[in-house]
Amino acid sequence: MKLQSLFSYVLIFSTTITLLLSSSHPVSANRTNQAGFLQCLSLRFNDSNIVSRVIHTPNDTSFSSVLASSIQNPRFSAPDTPKPVLILTPVQPSDVQSAVKCARRFDIHIRTRSGGHDYEGLSYVTRKPFVILDLRNLRSITIDVDNRSVWVQTGATIGELFCEIGKKNRTLAFPAGVCPTVGVGGHFSGGGYGTLLRKYGLAADHVIDARVVDARGRILERREMGEDFFWAIRGGGGSSFCVVLSWKIGLINVPSTVTVFNVTKFSEQSSLKIIHRWQFVADRVSDDLFIRVMLQRYKNMVRASFPGLYLGSVNNLLKMVNREFPELGLEEDDCQEMSWIESVVWFAELGEEPIDVLSRRTRASLAFKAKSDFVQEPMPETAISNLWRWLQEPEAEHAQLIFTPFGGKMSEIADYETPFPHRKGNIFEIQYLNYWRGDVKEKYMRWVERVYDDMSEFVASSPRGAYINLRDLDLGMYVGGKRSKYEEGKSWGVKYFKDNFERLVRVKTSVDPFDFFCDEQSIPPFKSVEVI
């Protein structure tokens, strides 16, 4: 896109916005504000090359591909899904500052996207006119091996981060998730867990600094933002408070050799026996051992899988499992020794590819709906048997239930140390997922709802907890009306954050009192106040 005269460019954009809003949004946004926003940006981006790389209007040939590139849930790529009036792809931190300052000046709603894995698409979809701030170009990774630290920009994926760590040192690691295409921005700011959570806790537990753009457009680091602000973005959902530009994280040591394994069962009887015993072992066994439970369909049968990671050799693993968990029936042929970075590839189910495969950016092909629960008392076998029945239903062809064990380091960190409160007392987390192809979604989404309802008596309650990184709009969202935004937000905020919700509200009120950074489930301020 060549830079035209400012007047003609803004005029074209104003016309575009008018057509877009009249066709996609019944209530038109202020056209003057939209044009003023673009003019504000154009004046700040005085280099035509930067303009063409950063600003994407619906008239640009790149617009559709840029929009679709990070949509990781095809449920939100349907033709009737609301589209942004503009996409910004900053190439330097000052571009983000300009976007925030101009958006605030002209009352433009911004959604910030890192990897596009928000389960409800809130980083790139909303019902009112909006602009996407897509951080794909801010993805540098700078590793300091001597000090075991990394500065990683928000637009990088955890797969890219893992890959760069693995290239530098095979005995350094970082405790983040198993899906390599997830962006570090949302993952870290919601907590972030993976196969090392029992040994080292969450990704957010190892964030030691951050660089953000606040609601005033200032670039702040930990020292400038203060400890409350810094606390809030490490598990409270950073998009409620600011745009996180980059994270400084501390790396951890892992053995040169680790062991991965998987045990698979198709018999309901033997699977129920193993899962029942797993509930009494998985959170209490040595924190060097991580064993997940995965239930799903395979060739019209229900399959139970028990994939795991052990920070040590096969021989030591077999001794421990035979002593602590013989019901699993783990054998040497089920196991494979490798480096930690190779185990990341293995858990991502990427085959025997080189570690560079972790840097590939791919899009999900199946739409999905998910919910989450935390379990604090072992479930009876009848509850597990019911889950087996649910997976035999026609709508569950691509469904998946994932049990992730806690305990270990997760029980040693107090609930209040970060906004993520689901620590001591939780045996495991359940993730209910259902995938499908095509536009017919209702029956698959209902399946998830019915299973979730059926499990209510077996999971944590008062409140019934949920994980913010497994976003679920069924828990509630802002609709307006007689209740204040604070009252609305509390209804689901306590499920995600429990007692930490009130502290998050106080931070929000302090750093973003006018609620500039908001979405359907963002942290609310108590009320709008004058900025000091």
Side-chain angles (χ1 to χ4, degrees), residues 350-368:
L350 295 173
E352 298 182 1
E353 296 280 340
I355 66 172
D356 285 337
V357 70
L358 295 169
S359 296
R360 291 181 190 170
R361 295 202 171 203
T362 57
R363 286 182 57 201
S365 60
L366 297 178
F368 68 90

Side-chain angles (χ1 to χ4, degrees), residues 146-221:
D146 292 337
N147 291 309
R148 298 193 307 169
S149 65
V150 181
W151 272 105
V152 53
Q153 287 188 309
T154 299
T157 65
I158 60 173
E160 290 168 344
L161 173 63
F162 289 151
C163 182
E164 292 304 310
I165 294 171
K167 289 177 179 179
K168 290 284 187 180
N169 190 305
R170 293 292 177 111
T171 60
L172 288 178
F174 187 71
V178 298
C179 178
T181 58
V182 169
V184 303
H187 188 63
F188 293 2
S189 69
Y193 66 71
T195 59
L196 295 173
L197 90 163
R198 300 196 63 251
K199 183 71 173 182
Y200 293 107
L202 306 175
D205 298 330
H206 298 267
V207 171
I208 54 182
D209 205 342
R211 191 171 292 126
V212 309
V213 174
D214 74 353
R216 302 187 204 180
R218 302 174 299 176
I219 292 181
L220 307 174
E221 294 188 6

Side-chain angles (χ1 to χ4, degrees), residues 40 129 274 322 327 506:
C40 180
I274 295 172
N322 287 336
E327 294 85 354
R506 290 195 295 272

Side-chain angles (χ1 to χ4, degrees), residues 274 277-278 281 291 320-329:
I274 295 172
R277 178 59 183 161
W278 175 90
V281 174
I291 308 176
M320 177 187 297
V321 172
N322 287 336
R323 180 179 68 249
E324 304 283 347
F325 191 16
E327 294 85 354
L328 182 62

Side-chain angles (χ1 to χ4, degrees), residues 57-295:
T57 73
N59 284 343
D60 295 337
T61 55
S62 62
F63 184 84
S64 295
S65 61
V66 172
L67 174 62
S69 62
S70 295
I71 294 179
Q72 296 292 352
N73 189 345
R75 178 155 64 103
F76 304 108
S77 61
D80 61 347
T81 301
K83 306 298 189 293
V85 296
L86 194 72
I87 302 174
L88 304 177
T89 52
V91 296
Q92 54 197 6
S94 61
D95 298 342
V96 178
Q97 286 183 282
S98 296
V100 170
K101 289 178 179 178
C102 291
R104 181 168 177 175
R105 177 181 174 187
F106 289 97
D107 194 25
I108 300 298
H109 186 67
I110 282 183
R111 290 296 166 97
T112 304
R113 182 166 72 173
S114 175
H117 277 269
D118 187 292
Y119 273 28
E120 296 283 10
L122 298 189
S123 61
Y124 54 89
V125 175
T126 187
R127 290 291 169 185
K128 54 187 174 182
F130 69 106
V131 170
I132 291 178
L133 189 62
D134 190 312
L135 302 178
R136 64 176 61 215
N137 294 323
L138 300 179
R139 57 203 285 186
S140 71
I141 300 170
T142 304
I143 301 176
D144 183 342
V145 173
D146 292 337
N147 291 309
R148 298 193 307 169
S149 65
V150 181
W151 272 105
V152 53
Q153 287 188 309
T154 299
T157 65
I158 60 173
E160 290 168 344
L161 173 63
F162 289 151
C163 182
E164 292 304 310
I165 294 171
K167 289 177 179 179
K168 290 284 187 180
N169 190 305
R170 293 292 177 111
T171 60
L172 288 178
F174 187 71
V178 298
C179 178
T181 58
V182 169
V184 303
H187 188 63
F188 293 2
S189 69
Y193 66 71
T195 59
L196 295 173
L197 90 163
R198 300 196 63 251
K199 183 71 173 182
Y200 293 107
L202 306 175
D205 298 330
H206 298 267
V207 171
I208 54 182
D209 205 342
R211 191 171 292 126
V212 309
V213 174
D214 74 353
R216 302 187 204 180
R218 302 174 299 176
I219 292 181
L220 307 174
E221 294 188 6
R222 179 176 183 173
R223 182 175 179 179
E224 293 85 19
M225 73 177 80
E227 288 304 300
D228 281 346
F229 196 162
F230 182 64
W231 172 86
I233 62 175
R234 292 177 298 127
S239 61
S240 286
F241 306 94
C242 60
V243 177
V244 179
L245 297 173
S246 54
W247 304 95
K248 185 178 183 182
I249 57 175
L251 302 180
I252 47 91
N253 291 316
V254 289
S256 57
T257 298
V258 303
T259 303
V260 297
F261 60 90
N262 190 26
V263 175
T264 301
K265 301 290 182 181
F266 289 94
S267 162
E268 178 181 356
Q269 184 176 359
S270 60
S271 298
L272 296 188
K273 180 181 178 182
I274 295 172
I275 296 171
H276 180 73
R277 178 59 183 161
W278 175 90
Q279 295 182 94
F280 293 89
V281 174
D283 69 317
R284 302 178 185 181
V285 73
S286 166
D287 56 16
D288 287 330
L289 180 60
F290 171 90
I291 308 176
R292 237 178 187 173
V293 176
M294 302 183 72
L295 300 175

Side-chain angles (χ1 to χ4, degrees), residues 30-45:
N30 187 304
R31 184 176 66 179
T32 303
N33 281 10
Q34 302 285 349
F37 172 64
L38 182 60
Q39 182 177 4
C40 180
L41 289 176
S42 300
L43 289 172
R44 289 175 176 273
F45 301 155

